Amino acid sequence: MNNFEYVRAEGLDGAARFVAGHHGAKFIGGGTNLVDLMKYNVEKPTALVDLNRLAMRSVTELPYGGLRLGALVTNSEVAYHPVVSAKYPLLSRAILAGASAQLRNKATTGGNLLQRTRCVYFYDTAVPCNKREPGTGCPAKEGINRSMAILGTSVSCIATHPSDMCVALAALGATVQVAGTQGSRSIPFAEFHRLPGDQPQVDTTLAVDEIVTSVDLPAAGFAGHSAYIKVRDRQSYAFALVSVAAGFELADGIITKAGIALGGVAHKPWRNAELERSLLIGKPANRDTYHAFQLALLAGAQGYGENDFKLKIAPVTVVRAMEQAAHEGEQA
Amino acid sequence: MNTHLIGTDVNRIDGPAKVSGAAKYAAEFFAPDLLYAVAVSGAIAHGEIDTIDTAEAMKVPGAVEVFTHKNRPHVSWFNKSYLDEDAPVDGKPLRPLYDAKIFFSSQPIALCVAETFEAARYMSRLVQVTYTSLTHQTDMKIAVQEAKKVTSSNRDGIEAPPKPRGNSARAYADAPVKIAKGYLSPTEIHNPMELFATTVIYNDDHTLTIYDKTQSVTNSQMYVCNIFGLSKNDVRVESPFVGGAFGSALRPQYQLFLATLAAKALKRSVRLTLTRDQMFTLGHRPETLQEIRLGANQDGQLLALHNESMQATSRYENYFEVIANWSGLSYLCENATMEEKTVSMDTSTPGDMRAPGAAQGVWAIETAMDELAVATGSDPVDLRLRNYADKDQNHGKKYSSKELKACYTQGAARFRWNERVATPRSERRGTALVGRGMAGGVWESPQMPAAAKATLAADGTLTVASGTADIGTGTYTMMAILAGEALGLPLGRVVVKLGDTELPVAPLEGGSWTVASVGSAVSKACKAVAERVFTLAAGINESPLKHASFQDVDFLNERIVLRDDPSKFVTLQSALEQGEGKPIEEKADSGPNMFKQHGYKSYTHSAVFVEVEVDEDFGTVSVCRVVSAIAGGRIINHEAAQSQIIGGIVWGIGMALQEQAETDHQFGRIMNHNFAEYHVPVNADVHDIDVIFVKEEDDIVNPIGAKGLGEIGLVGVAAAIGNAIYNATGVRVRELPITLDKLI
Ligand SMILES: Cc1cc2nc3c(=O)[nH]c(=O)nc-3n(C[C@H](O)[C@H](O)[C@H](O)COP(=O)(O)OP(=O)(O)OC[C@H]3O[C@@H](n4cnc5c(N)ncnc54)[C@H](O)[C@@H]3O)c2cc1C
Ligand code: SF4
């Protein structure tokens, strides 16, 4: 770990301005990812701006029926929040499928969005990695890539975004509220994370000086029909190899609203709203529908050796999550 | 023997100290002049350091020194000075900072020393190194082409394969049923919870007191003395508590060398703690490839057995473990050939890891036996009974005891083995296929020479001491039980000392021999004390024991009691008063009784039964039920014994399903060097575990009749899980770990 300056943010404006004016400064939330990366010498911030005193720690119901999760609300607080459990059970399940109780108690909503990939090369400064040091190469492509992406990869990077929570947020169609030196704006969840392309070092569309202030959930939360399935190497404390968040609104067995997102397969939670509109809405909630959808959603998926098995697992996981969501509440 | 403690459930006597933080580990000792050190690890797998620039590091406020091969003080250059008790005698042990040569990725190449830990760590980031790389090989699948045959032992107790018996090639060719398969097991890393650490206290008289994480203070002391040219009087090594080791601390690790080097050079106390990543650069369970051929008749009776085992080792030491021999040991087979080969690669030297060699060797043969059961339509338990051996097949010697049949019977009954359907994919629970499998396990139960001291103070407090280690296994408690038993004292009156070179010498704490060896020495010393106490008791005026001899009395509840008439006794207190308040001290050496043990071999045995659920779509495995029946001689502390076995079973779950060091062969480097990526079971992976100790009496194995239990719990578990997975899915996986991708 290197020496760095520590600053406690007293207001959003000041914090954003500080980071804009200090090359290499970073925000810190729960620190469960950033501090690890600092110990590994992967992140070398010159200054840490501690957001924890800012007023972003509450969960508030929004006038149109949605829910605002302050950026500092911990993953545990979100998962066990009564409104979340009741209206957005998909989000609770996804969060509780991730990390460990200790980590969830510390991890924040904002930090979870911005956690970095778990690619083993990214974590080890003795080896090259385009995401860590652009232009050095991507050894994962021909090396250890069991947990790497099968969709939306690029020549320069095949890393995944590791979050479980974000997969549910993508399926729910959340909105990320941010504030920076240029003012505040809302970013639709699908546009928050990006694909690696030729800039794998950039994970999101957030500007360096922008702070995530909250994540807003829409009014409809798939309360009646949702499922989160996480396929992993051990029953807890393991990142997803493939995960699927599925949510439906159904009327007489017909799908009227759907949100299906995958984790562990791409640089961002993988969702295709266009395909949902064309292949799910108005269709009967049955295996044929799920199967046709899965084929289209995963078209173009590509393995890199160790992760070829994801090509087999992803389709069944999508179908099973959709089935589980549709049948939620029914007697087995 | 009339026992009040042996075989009962005794909580660890060191438990309160451990949970309250009073127990101090190597990195927790302090001195006012203490310096902090951080080791720098190299980035390449093979080659030389060209330049190493420490100027920036030395500018850090608080920096004291950066040691490298360029500026290190004089140390012995003889390879043999670096040998330790567990080292292969024909190798060239790692000599850290000796020269510019790099033998494996993450080899230590510099040591940063500073007034604070933070400064030392910062310095370690600023050391600039350039290398010249040479080609390396870390891929065993390629390196096997240059496998070298093992012909003789190069470590104590590690045997080369026995001479082939019969003619296995011909018998195999003629056998009506044949199994010929290759079995692969990966590199595993010990990873005890406690990081390797050494605190060297530099005393005013220039002597060193070294707190080291070790399984043998004697070994650490010898190592330091030989390398730095010190006498034993100048170096005291202490290791009162060890936070897990599993064999990784049998050999002195490089933090001991580096911390001592720095302390001597700087004439100050120094502490060095390795990082979790650096824990992946020490010894490890070697990768193995075993080519097994079994020939049998239609009933599954073995006619031929062949195991050609290849195991990874380093380039600088020809370390090897006993792997193939386990195949030929336990089943009757007249034609058997076992071969052992080493495959040198550019890695650190492997090291003994819990049940070294047997973990892999028994996994392979017990999987092959399951394949034979399938091929011959036999029940796996029946098949093993059909091939049951009453003699150690490799040495042709009798067993001192072997209650394995009782393990099969009692284990099968508890597990309800009769409910198993032999045909794979016969049972479902929801989306999961259910399967059941079993395997046998075996491990040695040797006794080593050990010494112990027992001192009974005038107030009736008994202190027992031996320079052994308690690596979390319960040595403190075991010693207290045996001592309390011998003198009829409650545990509260017994004080145990261990982990100190000032105490009587004990063997390395490993190999499941501590109870047998140290326990026997403790018992012997305590018995000698008891005899003196008896003499005092009998010498009291009008003593009710006046006409008794030592054989006629029991020591119970702080009394010396006449066995045939318990109303006649002398209290311990009165006996001690008779001794006029002088402490009674006895030292005992104990070792194998060659006369008694001649012609016998001793082992612990197990039968492990497992039920799994395998998700049909995802291939995820849940080990829902394990029953392990153990024949382990006399059980000293039932609670600790059970904990050992449960821990071993959890290790077996990890071995079967999760553990694997992932090496990038382009860089020759283990990449998953942390607990997020190197998986071991979490609580959620561990379900029903049931342990049975079958009755096993053995007065040959050692004087106390106990066999070690540190390793046997693990042996056989991975095979039983794999066999259960086969029963569930019909898929036979011959490459560990059985991750979900191998089942879909
Ligand atoms: C061993 C381990 C296992 C794990 N397993 C899982 C798992 O299975 N599933 C899963 O989903 N997660 C898992 N996690 C990851 C965990 O969820 C993240 O570490 C956590 O969510 C990060 O939140 P934080 O508040 O601690 O972020 P920090 O570490 O504080 O920050 C992370 C990043 O976000 C930035 N940041 C933080 N807050 C803000 C903000 N408000 N605005 C702008 N930038 C901000 C920081 O600058 C930093 O770059 C695991 C972590 C570990 C260590
Ligand atoms: S996949 Fe991305 S993060 Fe991993 S090595 Fe390649 S560039 Fe780096």
Side-chain angles (χ1 to χ4, degrees), chain B residues 344-609:
Chain B
S344 302
M345 298 198 291
D346 299 289
T347 65
S348 61
T349 303
D352 292 305
M353 175 163 162
R354 204 170 192 176
Q360 311 98 304
V362 174
W363 164 69
I365 184 68
E366 289 297 301
T367 307
M369 286 299 276
D370 200 65
E371 303 203 45
L372 183 60
V374 173
T376 56
S378 316
D379 176 86
V381 177
D382 292 345
L383 179 83
R384 285 167 174 81
L385 288 170
R386 222 165 283 157
N387 291 288
Y388 198 84
D390 287 316
K391 267 189 170 180
D392 170 335
Q393 299 296 292
N394 287 348
H395 302 92
K397 290 184 177 177
K398 281 180 277 188
Y399 293 109
S400 62
S401 58
K402 181 183 178 183
E403 295 295 344
L404 178 57
K405 280 183 184 161
C407 295
Y408 290 146
T409 319
Q410 294 177 33
R414 180 80 59 90
F415 184 80
R416 299 189 307 278
W417 178 249
N418 55 349
E419 289 174 11
R420 170 179 183 266
V421 183
T423 315
R425 308 181 74 88
S426 298
E427 192 182 334
R428 270 161 210 277
R429 262 175 227 149
T431 56
L433 295 160
V434 180
R436 299 181 183 82
M438 62 82 57
V442 55
W443 182 252
E444 301 162 333
S445 42
Q447 184 191 0
M448 309 295 265
K453 192 169 70 181
T455 316
L456 185 62
D459 67 352
T461 310
L462 177 67
T463 303
V464 283
S466 176
T468 181
D470 187 334
I471 58 172
T473 45
T475 313
Y476 275 106
T477 313
M478 175 276 291
M479 288 169 69
I481 291 174
L482 291 169
E485 185 77 37
L487 281 149
L489 291 171
L491 288 175
R493 303 292 291 273
V494 183
V495 176
V496 179
K497 289 186 178 165
L498 52 73
D500 186 343
T501 46
E502 306 277 286
L503 303 176
V505 176
L508 296 168
E509 204 285 348
S512 287
W513 59 56
T514 298
V515 172
S517 314
V518 177
S520 294
V522 167
S523 282
K524 193 172 169 188
C526 292
K527 189 169 167 230
V529 170
E531 287 188 32
R532 284 177 56 188
V533 172
F534 170 75
T535 309
L536 290 172
I540 294 174
N541 240 348
E542 304 292 307
S543 171
L545 304 178
K546 195 173 287 170
H547 303 294
S549 71
F550 182 64
Q551 280 70 35
D552 303 331
V553 299
D554 284 327
F555 283 70
L556 280 174
N557 303 325
E558 301 181 63
R559 290 170 174 177
I560 304 114
V561 186
L562 195 62
R563 192 171 304 126
D564 291 340
D565 180 3
S567 70
K568 297 218 169 85
F569 64 84
V570 173
T571 65
L572 194 64
Q573 200 51 44
S574 325
L576 285 169
E577 279 161 17
Q578 175 76 2
E580 292 165 358
K582 278 195 226 105
I584 302 174
E585 182 164 301
E586 287 289 340
K587 211 184 144 214
D589 289 295
S590 153
N593 182 337
M594 296 303 179
F595 181 69
K596 216 170 177 181
Q597 294 172 6
H598 180 74
Y600 291 95
K601 293 294 270 183
S602 295
Y603 299 89
T604 46
H605 291 93
S606 68
V608 190
F609 298 82

Side-chain angles (χ1 to χ4, degrees), chain A residues 25-37 43 48-49 51-52 54 56 71-75 94-95 97-100 103-104 106-116 118 123 161-166 177-179 192 206-214 228 230 232 234 236-240, chain B residues 674-677:
Chain A
K26 284 199 82 106
F27 302 115
I28 183 164
T32 60
N33 188 218
L34 183 54
V35 175
D36 272 2
L37 288 166
E43 297 271 18
L48 284 186
V49 179
L51 302 177
N52 282 285
L54 297 183
M56 311 191 291
L72 290 170
V73 181
T74 68
N75 291 178
I95 291 174
S100 65
L103 285 159
R104 295 192 297 263
K106 195 74 190 137
T108 64
T109 301
N112 192 305
L113 262 52
L114 287 148
Q115 65 174 297
R116 309 211 64 189
R118 306 306 291 202
Y123 266 77
H161 189 262
S163 170
D164 289 295
M165 182 177 95
C166 290
Q177 305 292 352
V178 310
F192 186 77
L206 201 67
V208 181
D209 65 356
E210 277 181 321
I211 300 169
V212 172
T213 55
S214 75
Y228 188 73
K230 178 174 180 178
R232 50 183 149 178
R234 61 180 170 192
S236 172
Y237 203 49
F239 290 93
Chain B
N674 57 63
F675 273 153
E677 305 299 332

Side-chain angles (χ1 to χ4, degrees), chain B residues 711-728:
Chain B
E711 346 253 343
I712 186 66
L714 158 68
V715 186
V717 178
I721 293 172
N723 296 344
I725 290 172
Y726 173 82
N727 182 243

Side-chain angles (χ1 to χ4, degrees), chain B residues 609 611 623-627 649 653 685-691:
Chain B
F609 298 82
E611 179 178 301
V623 178
C624 22
R625 215 152 58 84
V626 182
V627 173
I649 291 168
I653 295 174
D685 296 314
V686 179
H687 304 282
D688 251 22
I689 296 181
D690 202 347
V691 179

Side-chain angles (χ1 to χ4, degrees), chain B residues 605-648:
Chain B
H605 291 93
S606 68
V608 190
F609 298 82
V610 168
E611 179 178 301
V612 296
E613 290 176 0
V614 184
D615 188 283
E616 201 174 357
D617 291 333
F618 303 145
T620 38
V621 177
S622 166
V623 178
C624 22
R625 215 152 58 84
V626 182
V627 173
S628 178
I630 305 282
R634 186 172 195 213
I635 304 304
I636 304 296
N637 179 355
H638 183 264
E639 182 175 296
Q642 190 168 329
S643 300
Q644 275 294 330
I645 302 304
I646 292 173

